[in-house]
Amino acid sequence: MFINGYKQFKKSYSEDLQDTLVLNGDFMHLHCGTHVLNLIVKDGLSDMRDSVTSIRNDVKYIRSSDSRLQAFKSRVGGGNFNRGSLVLDCATRWNSTFLMLSSALKYRDAFKRMEMEDKLYENYFGEDDDSRIGKKRLGPPSENDWENAHRLIRFLKIFYDSTLAFSATTKVTSTSCYNEIIKVETVLSSLANNPDHEMSKMAKIMRFKFDKYWEGTEKINKLLIIASVFDPRNLYGSSSSVNDVDIDMGFTYDDDPFASFTQMMADKGVIEESPNELDIYLMEKVEVMNPNNLGCEFDILS
């Protein structure tokens, strides 16, 4: 229905008003960046759904009553801890899952102590799960579940930051979209070759979905690239910087995504080596000084 409306809009403006649409409206259709990111992440989360559910059940138990919260707090040790220290996600919103896993991992040792010392905690995971007919509640999280959570947040941090960039409401986002797309592509390409088999597998699944919408210069909306070119910050210094997760993931991220695009175009033979300033000067025609109407000599400073 949206596509039909878009075609009708383009047709109406093209017929009634000449040159109203940029490039004849050929690039008006643009995928929602946050929606594409959501699709990519959902595909990547599919293989680790049980690990996420185990940790979610862990957090649910702790947050379900004040007595359980106090029992957990006593095992946390020093530092401030309250109900807000453990975030419970909305299962259908991956960005909230990222926040939940990030907070839960900080208290991984406390969860293990609860498992060893708290009988009610043990009984909780022996109960039937209403959402899984005939099966027990998933959890408590195993060591493998915690390791999977650690892998996930290393991915999700990049997508979380890019989602915030795409959905900014107080500034123009068109000039930064292409940079964010290249950032995600850089991360997925790097992690696809990670020695950790699970990390590599997840990255390849996500990259497959990424290529469906944003592969190279073929499927991406070209106006995003043009908008990026027109922003001098993308050419003479990026507004973003390398964050902790980039370092933790064991690879370096090119702070100027435009370099990645330029190299990709050069590899395809689209960009030819440009002549230097001397070559350009020598190729220019000689300026012949002709007398002017005032009979004055030519003065370049004038």
Side-chain angles (χ1 to χ4, degrees), residues 273-288:
E273 184 177 353
S274 299
N276 58 41
E277 290 185 27
L278 177 60
D279 291 332
I280 295 173
Y281 171 75
L282 294 175
M283 286 188 294
E284 288 181 347
K285 294 181 180 180
V286 176
E287 183 69 29
V288 179

Side-chain angles (χ1 to χ4, degrees), residues 141-200:
S142 64
E143 288 298 316
N144 186 59
D145 291 331
W146 288 113
E147 288 303 313
N148 283 341
H150 183 64
R151 292 185 181 101
L152 278 173
I153 65 168
R154 293 164 72 185
F155 271 101
L156 297 182
K157 177 68 168 69
I158 299 297
F159 290 96
Y160 183 80
D161 290 344
S162 291
T163 296
L164 295 181
F166 277 131
S167 55
T169 58
T170 59
K171 62 180 180 181
V172 177
T173 60
S174 58
T175 57
S176 63
C177 285
Y178 185 69
N179 281 15
E180 294 302 323
I181 291 171
I182 292 296
K183 183 189 295 185
V184 171
E185 182 181 31
T186 303
V187 171
L188 294 180
S189 296
S190 178
L191 291 182
N193 298 314
N194 194 286
D196 184 325
H197 174 71
E198 293 300 324
M199 290 280 284
S200 175

